[in-house]
Amino acid sequence: MNDVFCVLSAINTQYGSFTYTQRFEQLLGTIESIKKHSSDPDIFLVDISFESLLQKDIDKLKSLVTHVGLLHQHPFMRHVKSIDHSNDTNLFQPKTVGEIIGMQNILRAVKSHGKEYRRVFKLSGRYMLNDKFHDHDYDVLSDKVIVSTKQRWHGRDHYILRLWSFDHKDLDKMITMFDTIYNHTLARLTKDHCFDIVEYCLYHFLDKSGLPIHEVETLGVEGYYGQNAHWTSD
């Protein structure tokens, strides 16, 4: 039984250290690395940019992956695009909103595909799997959510989300969890005009889910951090 990789990207954006062309080439590297390090994977891609990708690039992606979704017209993304980000220079809000609605969309696309998989991997676009990806026996860890070791930031625990995964049999639970995260985020934005970044939310709601969690120091993923082009490896 093969695996499915859910890749979230934001190629056509106005922030960060890379151009559109550079980000697109890095995304192609993401896809290539999945095919190199996973046996016959299905790849679902959702882009959560403020603007659509170029049609020639959409066509290229459709030739390489199982599913392509574009969310630039999603009402939540259009709302976030319209607000003033002068006090949010790292653009935590659009990144958080994008990650949440991207996961809602991509997990439902996997479910609608109707195929049974061994495992569901979430991989951030522009990052690449490396040889350390093979250090883990995912058959032995089949019933567990696999994430990087939790970290503390501003006094709170969170998970880094470049790469994490779960058993395909828990797909419905993950869809429900991200719906809960969406509603939680929307309520906070509406009522309090603030929000928790998705790294905090995933830690909190995974902890409440009751799913078995296995934290690892190294997952086997590497790439450039978009904000400052710093190379990172988990």
Side-chain angles (χ1 to χ4, degrees), residues 46-197:
V46 165
D47 187 83
I48 45 180
S49 303
F50 285 151
E51 306 291 343
S52 181
L53 306 187
L54 298 175
Q55 187 59 51
K56 66 180 180 64
D57 294 333
I58 296 172
D59 293 341
K60 174 71 172 179
L61 293 172
K62 286 182 176 179
S63 74
L64 295 173
V65 304
T66 310
H67 168 88
V68 175
L70 304 172
L71 296 188
H72 59 285
Q73 294 286 8
H74 190 286
F76 211 168
M77 287 303 292
R78 293 176 70 180
H79 167 70
V80 170
K81 177 185 176 182
S82 70
I83 64 179
D84 180 12
H85 296 291
S86 58
N87 293 322
D88 181 21
T89 55
N90 287 319
L91 296 178
F92 287 126
Q93 186 166 323
K95 290 175 183 176
T96 289
V97 169
E99 182 93 13
I100 294 167
I101 65 173
M103 287 300 297
Q104 287 182 299
N105 183 281
I106 207 165
L107 293 178
R108 282 184 165 84
V110 171
K111 183 177 176 65
S112 296
H113 195 57
K115 184 176 177 179
E116 292 294 320
Y117 295 102
R118 182 187 69 152
R119 194 159 192 85
V120 181
F121 289 89
K122 182 270 175 179
L123 176 61
S124 295
R126 301 188 306 100
Y127 288 91
M128 298 176 292
L129 302 182
N130 60 34
D131 289 342
K132 292 182 179 180
F133 178 75
H134 302 287
D135 290 350
H136 307 292
D137 188 339
Y138 285 103
D139 287 326
V140 172
L141 301 168
S142 61
D143 63 333
K144 294 178 173 60
V145 179
I146 311 299
V147 292
S148 63
T149 303
K150 63 178 175 287
Q151 300 183 21
R152 288 294 271 190
W153 191 48
H154 294 282
R156 298 174 63 187
D157 290 327
H158 71 285
Y159 287 132
I160 299 296
L161 303 182
R162 284 183 277 270
L163 176 65
W164 61 282
S165 66
F166 59 90
D167 194 307
H168 180 259
K169 67 178 176 57
D170 292 322
L171 179 61
D172 285 338
K173 293 179 181 179
M174 285 296 175
I175 291 172
T176 298
M177 187 181 74
F178 273 95
D179 287 347
T180 301
I181 292 173
Y182 174 88
N183 291 329
H184 166 81
T185 302
L186 182 61
R188 292 213 65 196
L189 281 170
T190 302
K191 180 181 178 181
D192 304 322
H193 304 290
C194 64
F195 65 100
D196 292 322
I197 62 173

Side-chain angles (χ1 to χ4, degrees), residues 192-227:
D192 304 322
H193 304 290
C194 64
F195 65 100
D196 292 322
I197 62 173
V198 68
E199 288 85 352
Y200 287 151
C201 285
L202 188 67
Y203 176 83
H204 174 72
F205 286 102
L206 272 178
D207 185 57
K208 291 182 64 176
S209 72
L211 291 170
I213 298 169
H214 182 71
E215 298 181 2
V216 297
E217 290 291 337
T218 303
L219 282 162
V221 61
E222 63 188 23
Y224 290 102
Y225 185 56
Q227 193 67 28

